């Protein structure tokens, strides 16, 4: 049976460090979260972010706009918040026609790390805002005693917000993992997964990683958040616990790390800008 990597507990440790930092700042860092429409998952993520901000001492403002919001209205709000806030995020998903506005968030305020300038810095190994879920996974590995240096990490899922930036972070000098990035067109997925010392599942498909895909003793990071009739489940089937050495739970694994890294990026932005 595998050990649980307790993301909730590790996120709490980071939260305590951030709270101390914020208490020594003259002004509370300011974070605005823009929500468009009424996606239930977005509402639940924003609630978690607001609760964390309140514990850390970050001043969070939630701007809730109707789904009919025009691109001009959203641009105008983003322009205002670019000036007043340390951090600004637009909770995804948003209607496709509004997506160009994501690039209008000032890169130094882009605490989600989604702006092309921040993703470009990541490619070049220059310090910028790092996307929260990949940054959270790196912290989770180090703080659970699993230095990825020299390890073969197999990531399943090449999204712009998780799989692709995580592959860049892990292969950076100083982190030094060897990375295989798998996706929907990968042939022999099972064989690739079985080679992993550390397997990261970030697809968004309930229970898609089964125990026959996992090397005995591997470390499993489950990024999936799938709402099913049985409740919230990850991308990794529960039977994987029989073969893995360590595994992140869903909920309580990567999710709290994403939230605390957003707090960390907001504090960083307030200190640097
Ligand atoms: N939707 C799901 N995850 C995220 C996230 O990390 N940031 C934003 N802005 N939207 C999301």
């Amino acid at each position: 049976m595998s050990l649980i990597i307790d993301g909730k507990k590790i996120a709490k440790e980071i939260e305590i460090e951030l709270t101390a930092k914020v208490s020594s700042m003259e002004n509370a860092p300011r974070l605005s979260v823009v929500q468009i429409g009424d996606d239930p998952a977005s509402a639940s993520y924003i609630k978690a972010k607001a609760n964390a901000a309140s514990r850390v001492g970050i001043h969070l403002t939630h701007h809730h706009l109707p789904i009919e919001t025009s691109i001009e209205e959203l641009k105008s709000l983003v322009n205002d918040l670019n000036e007043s806030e340390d951090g600004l995020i637009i909770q995804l998903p948003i209607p496709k026609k509004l997506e160009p506005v994501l690039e209008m968030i000032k890169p130094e305020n882009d605490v989600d790390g989604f702006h092309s300038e921040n993703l470009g810095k990541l490619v070049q190994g220059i310090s910028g805002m790092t996307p929260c879920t990949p940054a959270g996974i790196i912290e989770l590995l180090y703080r659970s005693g699993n230095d990825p240096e020299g390890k073969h990490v197999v990531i399943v899922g090449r999204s712009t917000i998780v799989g692709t930036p995580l592959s860049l972070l892990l292969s950076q000098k100083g982190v030094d993992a060897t990375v295989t990035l798998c996706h929907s067109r990968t042939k022999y997925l099972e064989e690739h997964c079985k080679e992993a010392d550390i397997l990261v599942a970030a697809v968004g498909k309930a229970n898609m990683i089964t125990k026959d895909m996992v090397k005995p003793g591997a470390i499993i990071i489950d990024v999936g958040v799938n709402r099913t009739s049985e409740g919230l489940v990850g991308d990794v089937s529960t039977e994987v616990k029989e073969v893995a050495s360590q595994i992140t739970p869903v909920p309580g694994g990567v999710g709290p790390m994403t939230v605390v890294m957003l707090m960390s990026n907001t504090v960083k932005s307030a200190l640097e800008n």
Side-chain angles (χ1 to χ4, degrees):
M1 271 311 256
S2 43
L3 276 175
I4 296 293
I5 301 177
D6 190 343
K8 207 169 156 185
K9 180 162 163 251
I10 295 172
K12 196 84 215 164
E13 285 168 21
I14 301 172
E15 226 180 76
I16 291 166
E17 294 163 18
L18 289 173
T19 309
K21 229 184 237 183
V22 169
S23 69
S24 68
M25 292 166 74
E26 205 168 312
N27 298 309
R30 296 182 60 86
L31 170 63
S32 266
V33 178
V34 178
Q35 180 184 5
I36 298 142
D38 293 299
D39 178 60
S42 289
S44 133
Y45 290 134
I46 293 170
K47 199 167 156 203
K49 290 170 186 179
N51 289 339
S54 139
R55 291 191 297 267
V56 169
I58 290 172
H59 184 282
L60 182 144
T61 312
H62 178 194
H63 306 262
H64 194 173
L65 308 180
I67 195 77
E68 306 79 31
T69 301
S70 69
I71 193 158
E72 288 73 24
E73 286 167 317
L74 184 59
K75 274 182 189 170
S76 158
L77 177 64
V78 164
N79 283 337
D80 290 346
L81 296 175
N82 268 337
E83 300 311 316
S84 63
E85 305 301 285
D86 298 301
L88 166 58
I89 70 166
I90 300 176
Q91 188 67 32
L92 302 178
I94 56 173
K96 196 134 195 79
K97 67 168 199 273
L98 299 179
E99 282 177 1
V101 181
L102 292 170
E103 283 290 299
M104 299 183 69
I105 296 175
K106 260 195 207 165
E108 59 267 37
N109 290 2
D110 166 42
V111 285
D112 255 334
F114 294 169
H115 193 284
S116 57
E117 188 172 312
N118 284 315
L119 292 171
K121 282 182 171 170
L122 195 59
V123 174
Q124 294 185 308
I126 301 170
S127 162
M129 285 295 170
T130 310
C132 301
T133 301
I137 293 170
I138 300 278
E139 278 294 323
L140 198 58
L141 287 172
Y142 283 120
R143 289 185 186 239
S144 60
N146 294 301
D147 187 337
E149 181 186 340
K151 297 285 181 345
H152 183 193
V153 184
V154 176
I155 304 169
V156 188
R158 58 179 159 185
S159 71
T160 325
I161 66 174
V162 184
T164 299
L166 179 63
S167 71
L168 293 166
L169 279 174
L170 283 165
S171 47
Q172 262 179 7
K173 269 206 166 68
V175 182
D176 299 319
T178 301
V179 179
T180 300
L181 182 56
C182 299
H183 47 77
S184 53
R185 298 295 181 97
T186 296
K187 282 188 182 159
Y188 313 116
L189 176 67
E190 187 177 322
E191 279 73 10
H192 287 296
C193 291
K194 255 193 128 82
E195 291 291 316
D197 302 314
I198 301 173
L199 179 62
V200 181
V203 177
K205 204 164 152 197
N207 305 318
M208 73 154 299
I209 303 290
T210 50
K211 75 174 179 191
D212 48 306
M213 299 168 82
V214 174
K215 178 165 78 175
I219 293 161
I220 313 293
I221 307 293
D222 190 352
V223 188
V225 185
N226 306 294
R227 281 152 225 272
T228 70
S229 53
E230 276 112 63
L232 213 59
V233 302
D235 288 352
V236 179
S237 170
T238 51
E239 64 180 21
V240 169
K241 284 193 187 128
E242 295 165 26
V243 290
S245 67
Q246 297 180 51
I247 190 163
T248 61
V250 176
V254 173
M257 294 301 295
T258 298
V259 173
V260 82
M261 295 322 288
L262 177 68
M263 302 303 129
S264 174
N265 278 347
T266 304
V267 173
K268 176 178 146 112
S269 170
L271 288 171
E272 289 177 0
N273 301 307

